[in-house]
Amino acid sequence: MFGEVYDGSDAKCGSYTGTRAGGPFELDSVVDYPLYFRINDVFARATGNTRQLEDHYAAIPANYDSTAAMRLVTFLDNHDQPRFLSSGNAGNNLQRLRLALVFLYTARGIPCLYYGTEQGFNGGNDPYDREDMFAGHAIQFPRMLQTTFKQAPKAKPKAQENLFLDLT
């Protein structure tokens, strides 16, 4: 079972996993809000850098129960937050969405794709982030990624190795 802790702090979110807090919190995992905020900085708004992602992964062992480390629920948008493509985030930039989707599907964790992301939904704050599902224009990229992963040999979970290219 996973929970949702709306906070950008790894220490706060991690305290709800396992028995690390010494209290009643025994969640198997949580929604990875600390990563969500970094994804928006790095991929959606392009105001951050990949060091923020590396720092998040480096903080996981000290803040999360060891059984939760590889199964944090990762996401680009959800029913409580503006869509990835909203004007305050990626501003309908599909290239940024594609890059973020590749990251989401290949990074450590359990990826959660919120309905409508594959159709380019771009609503802002609630209730506009909860658009009705309708026959829209599906972006084929998420489906292509899913097909690629289904055809790839099954990989055993292992420690994540982060590789970043510094263009500065």
Side-chain angles (χ1 to χ4, degrees), residues 32 35 53-54 56-58 60 69-72 74 103-110 156-164:
D32 197 346
L35 181 62
L53 303 173
E54 184 72 19
H56 168 64
Y57 289 123
I60 288 175
M70 295 299 281
R71 50 185 179 194
L72 298 174
T74 58
F103 176 78
L104 181 72
Y105 279 111
T106 59
R108 169 172 41 186
I110 300 171
K156 294 182 179 178
K158 60 180 182 175
Q160 178 159 331
E161 180 180 359
N162 300 317
L163 304 174
F164 299 108

Side-chain angles (χ1 to χ4, degrees), residues 83-132:
R83 295 283 188 165
F84 184 88
L85 288 174
S86 69
S87 61
N89 285 327
N92 291 319
N93 186 320
L94 292 179
Q95 290 296 82
R96 289 184 186 175
L97 176 61
R98 287 185 183 105
L99 185 60
L101 285 167
V102 169
F103 176 78
L104 181 72
Y105 279 111
T106 59
R108 169 172 41 186
I110 300 171
C112 179
L113 187 64
Y114 182 47
Y115 85 94
T117 300
E118 77 286 354
Q119 291 197 31
F121 285 9
N122 61 2
N125 292 322
D126 197 12
Y128 304 106
D129 54 354
R130 301 174 188 224
E131 298 100 324
D132 290 336

